[in-house]
Every structure is written in structure tokens, then in C-alpha cells.
Amino acid sequence: MAHMKLDEAAALTVADVVHRKFSALPADATIGDVRAWFAASTSRRMALLADDEQRYAGSLTPADVDGD
């Protein structure tokens, strides 16, 4: 997907930005939640975050949640 302006991205759902089966964490997930999600499978490389309406709210990598 090409880069787009924030107002264009605001209308997207998580399903709009992935090409295969996905699971998304809630946008208000804690760092601990995200760390546990990554720990559950060594093949996970990016956590997608979605709001209550399944709109894309962000993404995190393991490096984003490492450390204190």
C-alpha cells in the first residue's frame, strides 16, 4: 500500500491494509498485552491495533515494546 494522508487512512479498517487472515489487538492494549501477544508466537513480526469499529489505529513491532 502506498503512503497516504492521515485523513485518507482514517477511513480504513484493518482488513483494508492486510492481505491475509489477521488478528488485531485493541487500540487501548497495554505494552504488556502487546508483549504477551508477541511472546505467544515467534513468527509474529507486527501487531496491528484497531479501534472498536475495526479501523486501523496503528502498529507496533517487537522493538517498539522492548525495554522498560
Side-chain angles (χ1 to χ4, degrees):
M1 179 171 282
H3 291 283
M4 65 180 62
K5 294 180 181 179
L6 184 58
D7 61 329
E8 295 169 323
L12 297 176
T13 67
V14 171
D16 293 329
V17 297
V18 297
H19 297 283
R20 53 185 153 161
K21 187 176 177 180
F22 67 90
S23 62
L25 295 167
D28 62 353
T30 66
I31 296 298
D33 294 337
V34 179
R35 285 179 179 155
W37 186 84
F38 280 124
S41 174
T42 58
S43 66
R44 293 178 174 169
R45 302 284 184 249
M46 181 178 292
L48 297 175
L49 304 175
D51 68 11
D52 291 338
E53 296 174 17
Q54 289 301 295
R55 291 182 301 220
Y56 176 78
S59 58
L60 296 165
T61 67
D64 294 325
V65 296
D66 281 349
D68 297 334

